[in-house]
PDB file of all heavy atoms in Angstrom:
ATOM      1  N   LYS K 201      21.407  -2.631   4.026  1.00 87.00           N
ATOM      2  CA  LYS K 201      22.852  -2.876   3.935  1.00 87.00           C
ATOM      3  C   LYS K 201      23.533  -2.775   5.309  1.00 87.00           C
ATOM      4  O   LYS K 201      24.359  -3.633   5.648  1.00 87.00           O
ATOM      5  CB  LYS K 201      23.465  -1.855   2.983  1.00 87.00           C
ATOM      6  CG  LYS K 201      23.035  -2.038   1.530  1.00 87.00           C
ATOM      7  CD  LYS K 201      23.615  -0.959   0.632  1.00 87.00           C
ATOM      8  CE  LYS K 201      23.155  -1.138  -0.818  1.00 87.00           C
ATOM      9  NZ  LYS K 201      23.673  -0.055  -1.705  1.00 87.00           N
ATOM     10  N   LEU K 202      23.184  -1.740   6.084  1.00 85.00           N
ATOM     11  CA  LEU K 202      23.875  -1.497   7.332  1.00 85.00           C
ATOM     12  C   LEU K 202      23.410  -2.425   8.451  1.00 85.00           C
ATOM     13  O   LEU K 202      24.190  -2.773   9.354  1.00 85.00           O
ATOM     14  CB  LEU K 202      23.681  -0.034   7.759  1.00 85.00           C
ATOM     15  CG  LEU K 202      24.256   1.009   6.808  1.00 85.00           C
ATOM     16  CD1 LEU K 202      23.910   2.409   7.279  1.00 85.00           C
ATOM     17  CD2 LEU K 202      25.767   0.864   6.683  1.00 85.00           C
ATOM     18  N   GLU K 203      22.140  -2.799   8.425  1.00 80.00           N
ATOM     19  CA  GLU K 203      21.588  -3.652   9.472  1.00 80.00           C
ATOM     20  C   GLU K 203      21.166  -4.987   8.885  1.00 80.00           C
ATOM     21  O   GLU K 203      20.147  -5.561   9.278  1.00 80.00           O
ATOM     22  CB  GLU K 203      20.391  -2.946  10.137  1.00 80.00           C
ATOM     23  CG  GLU K 203      20.681  -1.562  10.659  1.00 80.00           C
ATOM     24  CD  GLU K 203      21.659  -1.574  11.824  1.00 80.00           C
ATOM     25  OE1 GLU K 203      21.772  -2.623  12.483  1.00 80.00           O
ATOM     26  OE2 GLU K 203      22.312  -0.551  12.042  1.00 80.00           O
ATOM     27  N   TYR K 204      21.956  -5.497   7.950  1.00 77.00           N
ATOM     28  CA  TYR K 204      21.532  -6.685   7.202  1.00 77.00           C
ATOM     29  C   TYR K 204      21.159  -7.873   8.080  1.00 77.00           C
ATOM     30  O   TYR K 204      20.139  -8.514   7.850  1.00 77.00           O
ATOM     31  CB  TYR K 204      22.625  -7.087   6.199  1.00 77.00           C
ATOM     32  CG  TYR K 204      22.238  -8.264   5.364  1.00 77.00           C
ATOM     33  CD1 TYR K 204      21.378  -8.125   4.271  1.00 77.00           C
ATOM     34  CD2 TYR K 204      22.722  -9.549   5.663  1.00 77.00           C
ATOM     35  CE1 TYR K 204      21.003  -9.222   3.529  1.00 77.00           C
ATOM     36  CE2 TYR K 204      22.357 -10.641   4.897  1.00 77.00           C
ATOM     37  CZ  TYR K 204      21.498 -10.484   3.827  1.00 77.00           C
ATOM     38  OH  TYR K 204      21.128 -11.546   3.081  1.00 77.00           O
ATOM     39  N   PRO K 205      21.954  -8.239   9.113  1.00 79.00           N
ATOM     40  CA  PRO K 205      21.567  -9.410   9.933  1.00 79.00           C
ATOM     41  C   PRO K 205      20.178  -9.266  10.567  1.00 79.00           C
ATOM     42  O   PRO K 205      19.383 -10.182  10.553  1.00 79.00           O
ATOM     43  CB  PRO K 205      22.674  -9.488  10.984  1.00 79.00           C
ATOM     44  CG  PRO K 205      23.839  -8.825  10.332  1.00 79.00           C
ATOM     45  CD  PRO K 205      23.269  -7.713   9.522  1.00 79.00           C
ATOM     46  N   MET K 206      19.905  -8.058  11.105  1.00 76.00           N
ATOM     47  CA  MET K 206      18.626  -7.830  11.762  1.00 76.00           C
ATOM     48  C   MET K 206      17.490  -7.909  10.726  1.00 76.00           C
ATOM     49  O   MET K 206      16.473  -8.580  10.960  1.00 76.00           O
ATOM     50  CB  MET K 206      18.609  -6.458  12.442  1.00 76.00           C
ATOM     51  CG  MET K 206      17.301  -6.142  13.146  1.00 76.00           C
ATOM     52  SD  MET K 206      17.378  -4.562  14.018  1.00 76.00           S
ATOM     53  CE  MET K 206      17.486  -3.434  12.634  1.00 76.00           C
ATOM     54  N   ILE K 207      17.657  -7.237   9.581  1.00 79.00           N
ATOM     55  CA  ILE K 207      16.620  -7.244   8.552  1.00 79.00           C
ATOM     56  C   ILE K 207      16.461  -8.634   7.981  1.00 79.00           C
ATOM     57  O   ILE K 207      15.344  -9.114   7.744  1.00 79.00           O
ATOM     58  CB  ILE K 207      16.991  -6.240   7.431  1.00 79.00           C
ATOM     59  CG1 ILE K 207      17.107  -4.827   7.988  1.00 79.00           C
ATOM     60  CG2 ILE K 207      15.930  -6.292   6.336  1.00 79.00           C
ATOM     61  CD1 ILE K 207      15.824  -4.260   8.560  1.00 79.00           C
ATOM     62  N   PHE K 208      17.592  -9.319   7.763  1.00 78.00           N
ATOM     63  CA  PHE K 208      17.520 -10.664   7.195  1.00 78.00           C
ATOM     64  C   PHE K 208      16.767 -11.615   8.122  1.00 78.00           C
ATOM     65  O   PHE K 208      15.953 -12.423   7.680  1.00 78.00           O
ATOM     66  CB  PHE K 208      18.928 -11.204   6.941  1.00 78.00           C
ATOM     67  CG  PHE K 208      18.952 -12.572   6.307  1.00 78.00           C
ATOM     68  CD1 PHE K 208      18.690 -12.724   4.963  1.00 78.00           C
ATOM     69  CD2 PHE K 208      19.226 -13.700   7.067  1.00 78.00           C
ATOM     70  CE1 PHE K 208      18.702 -13.987   4.370  1.00 78.00           C
ATOM     71  CE2 PHE K 208      19.236 -14.962   6.489  1.00 78.00           C
ATOM     72  CZ  PHE K 208      18.976 -15.101   5.141  1.00 78.00           C
ATOM     73  N   ASN K 209      17.029 -11.526   9.422  1.00 78.00           N
ATOM     74  CA  ASN K 209      16.308 -12.351  10.392  1.00 78.00           C
ATOM     75  C   ASN K 209      14.810 -12.059  10.343  1.00 78.00           C
ATOM     76  O   ASN K 209      13.982 -12.986  10.461  1.00 78.00           O
ATOM     77  CB  ASN K 209      16.844 -12.125  11.806  1.00 78.00           C
ATOM     78  CG  ASN K 209      18.234 -12.716  11.985  1.00 78.00           C
ATOM     79  OD1 ASN K 209      18.629 -13.599  11.248  1.00 78.00           O
ATOM     80  ND2 ASN K 209      18.959 -12.190  12.967  1.00 78.00           N
ATOM     81  N   LEU K 210      14.450 -10.795  10.207  1.00 78.00           N
ATOM     82  CA  LEU K 210      13.045 -10.428  10.125  1.00 78.00           C
ATOM     83  C   LEU K 210      12.426 -11.001   8.855  1.00 78.00           C
ATOM     84  O   LEU K 210      11.294 -11.533   8.883  1.00 78.00           O
ATOM     85  CB  LEU K 210      12.895  -8.902  10.155  1.00 78.00           C
ATOM     86  CG  LEU K 210      11.470  -8.378   9.991  1.00 78.00           C
ATOM     87  CD1 LEU K 210      10.569  -8.937  11.066  1.00 78.00           C
ATOM     88  CD2 LEU K 210      11.459  -6.860  10.011  1.00 78.00           C
ATOM     89  N   LEU K 211      13.148 -10.913   7.751  1.00 78.00           N
ATOM     90  CA  LEU K 211      12.639 -11.451   6.486  1.00 78.00           C
ATOM     91  C   LEU K 211      12.385 -12.958   6.611  1.00 78.00           C
ATOM     92  O   LEU K 211      11.377 -13.471   6.112  1.00 78.00           O
ATOM     93  CB  LEU K 211      13.615 -11.166   5.343  1.00 78.00           C
ATOM     94  CG  LEU K 211      13.708  -9.714   4.884  1.00 78.00           C
ATOM     95  CD1 LEU K 211      14.839  -9.556   3.867  1.00 78.00           C
ATOM     96  CD2 LEU K 211      12.406  -9.264   4.263  1.00 78.00           C
ATOM     97  N   GLU K 212      13.319 -13.633   7.243  1.00 80.00           N
ATOM     98  CA  GLU K 212      13.153 -15.082   7.439  1.00 80.00           C
ATOM     99  C   GLU K 212      11.914 -15.379   8.286  1.00 80.00           C
ATOM    100  O   GLU K 212      11.152 -16.305   7.990  1.00 80.00           O
ATOM    101  CB  GLU K 212      14.388 -15.678   8.094  1.00 80.00           C
ATOM    102  CG  GLU K 212      15.540 -15.905   7.134  1.00 80.00           C
ATOM    103  CD  GLU K 212      16.619 -16.804   7.747  1.00 80.00           C
ATOM    104  OE1 GLU K 212      16.791 -16.744   8.987  1.00 80.00           O
ATOM    105  OE2 GLU K 212      17.254 -17.550   6.997  1.00 80.00           O
TER     106      GLU K 212
END
Side-chain angles (χ1 to χ4, degrees):
K201 293 177 181 178
L202 297 176
E203 306 294 337
Y204 182 78
M206 180 177 68
I207 300 296
F208 182 77
N209 289 338
L210 176 58
L211 288 173
E212 281 194 328

